[in-house]
Amino acid sequence: LADAPSPPPPNAPPSPPQPPPASAMCGYSNNPMWMQNTGVTLGWLSSVFYLCGRLSQLWMVLVERKGNAKGLSPWLFLIAVMANAAYGAGIILAANGDAVPTSQIPWVIGSLGTMGLDMLLLMLAVRARMENPTEAAGTSDDDKDEPLLRARDSASSFE
């Protein structure tokens, strides 16, 4: 009986509510296991798709165009970097100082991995504009009379 906590005095203020655990905040605690596994699998697929999308852009710029980043908008990649940084930081900070739940790792990898690739594409686009501002911006005299879509550009690449 000596180890049992004594009840609070009748006039004591109530103790502040404790925050719920991270799993309860995310809504996973009441979902069946198959639903949790499906969600994590979709998260991994999403990460793979995001990263492959950026890797294909890097391949196009570095291999097919031999480093020419003409047509890439630095603003697009700057905004994407900021969005992915905020999203990744939000997931990490939502853990309240605990380790990031393993169910959230696919989104952290997808977000921060895509952010790293976006930073590389941003650097390539900025470098292209610094080396040749008019050509990188798509405003060279050679392109002024050229239509935005050519016949070969509008055809499906699957045919």
Side-chain angles (χ1 to χ4, degrees):
L1 274 233
D3 292 338
S6 60
N11 296 338
S15 61
Q18 297 297 316
S23 62
M25 289 175 31
C26 298
Y28 291 118
S29 62
N30 296 327
N31 292 341
M33 187 56 75
W34 69 267
M35 191 179 290
Q36 294 178 38
N37 291 338
T38 302
V40 171
T41 301
L42 290 173
W44 281 112
L45 282 172
S46 172
S47 294
V48 168
F49 290 147
Y50 270 114
L51 293 172
C52 286
R54 292 307 193 262
L55 288 172
S56 68
Q57 289 176 318
L58 277 171
W59 178 266
M60 181 188 67
V61 170
L62 295 175
V63 176
E64 293 177 9
R65 293 184 176 181
K66 296 176 178 56
N68 182 0
K70 178 181 177 182
L72 290 182
S73 170
W75 289 106
L76 170 86
F77 292 103
L78 178 64
I79 291 169
V81 164
M82 291 187 307
N84 280 309
Y87 184 70
I91 292 171
I92 292 169
L93 293 174
N96 292 327
D98 298 333
V100 174
T102 56
S103 62
Q104 300 296 314
I105 290 175
W107 286 273
V108 173
I109 290 173
S111 177
L112 299 181
T114 302
M115 183 185 76
L117 295 174
D118 283 344
M119 289 174 62
L120 182 57
L121 285 162
L122 175 63
M123 289 186 290
L124 290 170
V126 168
R127 186 189 78 186
R129 285 186 181 246
M130 291 175 70
E131 288 175 357
N132 194 344
T134 57
E135 192 173 311
T139 58
S140 67
D141 290 334
D142 298 339
D143 293 341
K144 287 190 178 173
D145 296 327
E146 200 171 314
L148 291 175
L149 291 175
R150 289 178 234 121
R152 67 178 176 86
D153 292 339
S154 62
S156 172
S157 61
F158 296 111
E159 296 175 356

